[in-house]
């Protein structure tokens, strides 16, 4: 069976993807520096699947150290999750973000070139559609103007990967544009474990539910949307992880560059999703309305037709599943992986 290297695979999406790959019969190697994760997530992946994962603690920016991973394993494809992802922090520390996100990509491409690895899947984001494109977003739309350095790193990395594939016709690149992954594995053993105050909506809601935060502030209720709060395309992280398994099959059979949205195609507002969490789990979430957050778009959601047509992938879980599984993870792990 093929061996897949998950760069940044100890993180939220990587750990869920590792489970789905192992359960589909792939061998998994993870390289991570644990800057936003911990080895415990990988142990839990092994417990869920009953299979072992080869784990390397390495800063992927360091191509010389990363080479060790390539020399010790026969890698068939790389999934590149490794990146910093906090939008607000990227505005305050742009150089850190450009350095980390671009350099991890370049190191991986250099090692792949040296060891003849031709297949790479990249964790891109809906953020690359920018401010100009109308919703729902389709893959052939031009990348737009981002509102923060994090988004620009995704735009730049997509360009780097496209240029690399253009120069080497034996390469296969899949750019996956994620929408808003939430929820957790149904075992409640792995999930999202943000450091400090969560930037994203659902980890914040879960921490209010478990008593770590007093209340949620909903950023703005005067947007041009049905209830005035922003609408997003929330996708269950296990559905997203399964999309990676399909992308692995695809990347190994094809050449060139292909882009896929991974979303449900259905937007929900902040108020709707908070209400859905309350209903699914029979819990009250204290919230208040506050100011808009800088850089937020009123709406972001996918047209998910291409992934269905080309990869044969579509989401299977609904909003209730997302809310229930998120709470199951948070309730079982009130302090995340720190117990
Ligand atoms: P995460 O922070 O949980 O996972 C990223 C992993 O990469 C972490 O384990 C971190 O330790 C590792 N990492 C970062 N820099 C590294 C380096 N220099 N060397 C080695 N490891 C490094 O984030 P996630 O939510 O799992 O996201 C995975 C990818 O998907 C990221 O690239 C992110 O930008 C992208 N993405 C995420 C979302 C989202 O909402 N979660 C949305 C769109 C795109
Ligand atoms: N929100 C609140 N209160 C909070 C946190 C968020 O009201 O405490 C609102 C936001 O204003 C937004 C919605 O909840 O309207 C969703 O916010 P998130 O931060 O959860 O998600 P975003 O859509 O802003 O961003 C996510 C990822 C980015 C990625 C982007 C597009 O975090 O990495 O999707 O893919 F770039």
């Amino acid at each position: 069976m093929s061996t897949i290297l998950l760069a940044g695979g100890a993180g939220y999406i990587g750990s869920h993807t590792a489970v789905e790959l192992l359960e589909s019969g792939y061998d998994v190697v993870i390289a991570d520096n644990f800057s936003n994760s911990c080895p415990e997530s990988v142990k839990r992946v092994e417990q869920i699947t009953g299979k072992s994962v080869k784990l390397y603690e390495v800063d992927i920016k360091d191509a010389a150290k990363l080479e060790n991973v390539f020399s010790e394993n026969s890698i068939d494809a790389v999934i590149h999750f490794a990146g910093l992802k906090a939008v607000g922090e990227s505005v305050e520390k742009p150089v850190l973000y450009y350095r980390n996100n671009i350099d991890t990509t370049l190191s991986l491409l250099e090692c792949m070139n040296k060891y003849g690895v031709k297949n790479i899947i990249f964790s891109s984001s809906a953020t690359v559609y920018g401010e100009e494109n109308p919703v729902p977003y389709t893959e052939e739309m031009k990348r737009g103007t981002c509102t923060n350095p994090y988004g620009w790193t995704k735009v730049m990395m997509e360009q780097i990967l496209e240029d690399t594939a253009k120069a080497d016709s034996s390469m296969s690149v899949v750019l996956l544009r994620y929408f808003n992954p939430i929820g957790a594995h149904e075992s409640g053993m792995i999930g999202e474990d943000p450091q400090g105050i969560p930037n994203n909506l659902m980890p914040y809601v879960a921490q209010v539910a478990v008593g770590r935060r007093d209340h949620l502030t909903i950023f703005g209720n005067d947007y041009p949307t049905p209830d005035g709060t922003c609408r997003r395309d929330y996708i269950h992280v296990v559905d997203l992880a399964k999309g990676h398994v399909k992308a692995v099959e695809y990347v190994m059979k094809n050449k060139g560059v292909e882009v896929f949205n991974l979303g449900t195609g259905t937007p929900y507002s902040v108020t709707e999703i908070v209400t859905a969490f309350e209903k699914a789990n029979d819990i009250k979430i204290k919230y208040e309305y506050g100011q808009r957050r800088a850089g937020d778009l009123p709406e972001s959601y996918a047209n998910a037709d291409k992934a269905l047509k080309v990869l044969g992938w579509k989401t299977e879980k609904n909003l209730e599943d997302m809310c229930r599984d998120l709470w199951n993870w948070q309730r079982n792990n009130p302090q995340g992986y720190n117990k």
Side-chain angles (χ1 to χ4, degrees), residues 13 80-81 83-87 101 121-131 133 137-139 141-159 161 174-181 200 232-233 235 240 244 258-263 295 297 300-302:
I13 302 170
H80 178 17
F81 299 101
L84 298 175
K85 62 164 187 177
V87 171
N101 292 2
I121 294 165
F122 173 61
S123 298
S124 191
S125 165
T127 197
V128 302
Y129 289 107
E131 296 174 295
N133 287 303
Y137 299 134
T138 51
E139 290 86 348
M141 288 173 174
K142 278 206 161 74
R143 289 184 285 258
T145 306
C146 293
T147 54
N148 57 77
Y150 164 76
W152 283 119
T153 68
K154 293 294 180 197
V155 168
M156 289 174 189
M157 292 184 283
E158 284 199 358
Q159 186 69 50
L161 287 157
V174 168
L175 307 175
L176 297 179
R177 293 179 181 159
Y178 308 155
F179 282 73
N180 289 57
N200 298 112
R232 295 288 181 271
D233 187 336
I235 172 173
L240 186 74
H244 290 73
E258 209 55 74
V259 185
F260 297 102
N261 288 338
L262 295 185
L297 299 176
S300 165
Y301 58 97

Side-chain angles (χ1 to χ4, degrees), residues 125-127 150 180 199-201 217-219 230 232 293 296:
S125 165
T127 197
Y150 164 76
N180 289 57
N199 298 300
N200 298 112
L201 177 64
T217 301
I218 296 181
F219 298 141
C230 294
R232 295 288 181 271
R293 183 172 69 177
D296 276 346

Side-chain angles (χ1 to χ4, degrees), residues 312-329:
W313 171 89
K314 67 174 167 56
T315 56
E316 288 165 358
K317 292 177 184 283
N318 61 27
L319 190 56
E320 193 185 338
D321 299 325
M322 301 182 211
C323 292
R324 190 197 53 237
D325 292 341
L326 167 61
W327 179 230
N328 187 35
W329 151 252

Side-chain angles (χ1 to χ4, degrees), residues 67-295:
E67 209 181 310
N68 194 24
V69 180
F70 282 80
S71 68
E72 290 182 4
N73 299 280
S74 172
I75 291 160
D76 297 288
V78 174
I79 310 183
H80 178 17
F81 299 101
L84 298 175
K85 62 164 187 177
V87 171
E89 188 185 49
S90 81
V91 175
E92 284 155 29
K93 301 176 183 170
V95 176
L96 176 73
Y97 272 66
Y98 286 113
R99 170 67 78 199
N100 191 73
N101 292 2
I102 308 287
D103 271 5
T104 50
T105 307
L106 296 175
S107 292
L108 280 166
L109 287 170
E110 281 167 0
C111 285
M112 286 172 64
N113 184 40
K114 194 159 173 188
Y115 288 84
V117 180
K118 298 294 182 183
N119 306 315
I120 182 164
I121 294 165
F122 173 61
S123 298
S124 191
S125 165
T127 197
V128 302
Y129 289 107
E131 296 174 295
E132 300 86 344
N133 287 303
V135 285
Y137 299 134
T138 51
E139 290 86 348
E140 78 283 356
M141 288 173 174
K142 278 206 161 74
R143 289 184 285 258
T145 306
C146 293
T147 54
N148 57 77
Y150 164 76
W152 283 119
T153 68
K154 293 294 180 197
V155 168
M156 289 174 189
M157 292 184 283
E158 284 199 358
Q159 186 69 50
I160 289 167
L161 287 157
E162 283 175 6
D163 289 344
T164 308
K166 207 165 165 189
D168 177 354
S169 61
S170 65
M171 275 199 73
S172 181
V173 171
V174 168
L175 307 175
L176 297 179
R177 293 179 181 159
Y178 308 155
F179 282 73
N180 289 57
I182 62 169
H185 190 263
E186 63 177 9
S187 64
M189 289 174 67
I190 54 172
E192 190 168 10
D193 182 18
Q195 316 292 309
I197 301 168
N199 298 300
N200 298 112
L201 177 64
M202 291 317 277
Y204 203 104
V205 168
Q207 291 195 8
V208 172
V210 85
R212 283 172 67 181
R213 314 267 159 215
D214 178 62
H215 69 280
L216 170 75
T217 301
I218 296 181
F219 298 141
N221 61 347
D222 57 350
Y223 283 98
T225 58
D227 66 15
T229 64
C230 294
R231 298 205 302 167
R232 295 288 181 271
D233 187 336
Y234 296 96
I235 172 173
H236 196 297
V237 67
V238 171
D239 276 333
L240 186 74
K242 288 182 175 162
H244 290 73
V245 178
K246 295 286 188 187
V248 165
E249 289 164 14
Y250 181 90
V251 83
M252 296 210 282
K253 276 197 224 119
N254 293 277
K255 301 278 166 241
V257 181
E258 209 55 74
V259 185
F260 297 102
N261 288 338
L262 295 185
T264 65
T266 305
Y268 289 102
S269 73
V270 179
T271 311
E272 281 173 326
I273 194 154
V274 172
T275 307
F277 184 92
E278 291 183 322
K279 188 160 169 254
N281 300 311
D282 199 15
I283 289 178
K284 274 272 159 237
I285 298 297
K286 196 167 147 198
Y287 67 84
E288 62 182 30
Y289 293 107
Q291 296 295 308
R292 289 183 179 194
R293 183 172 69 177

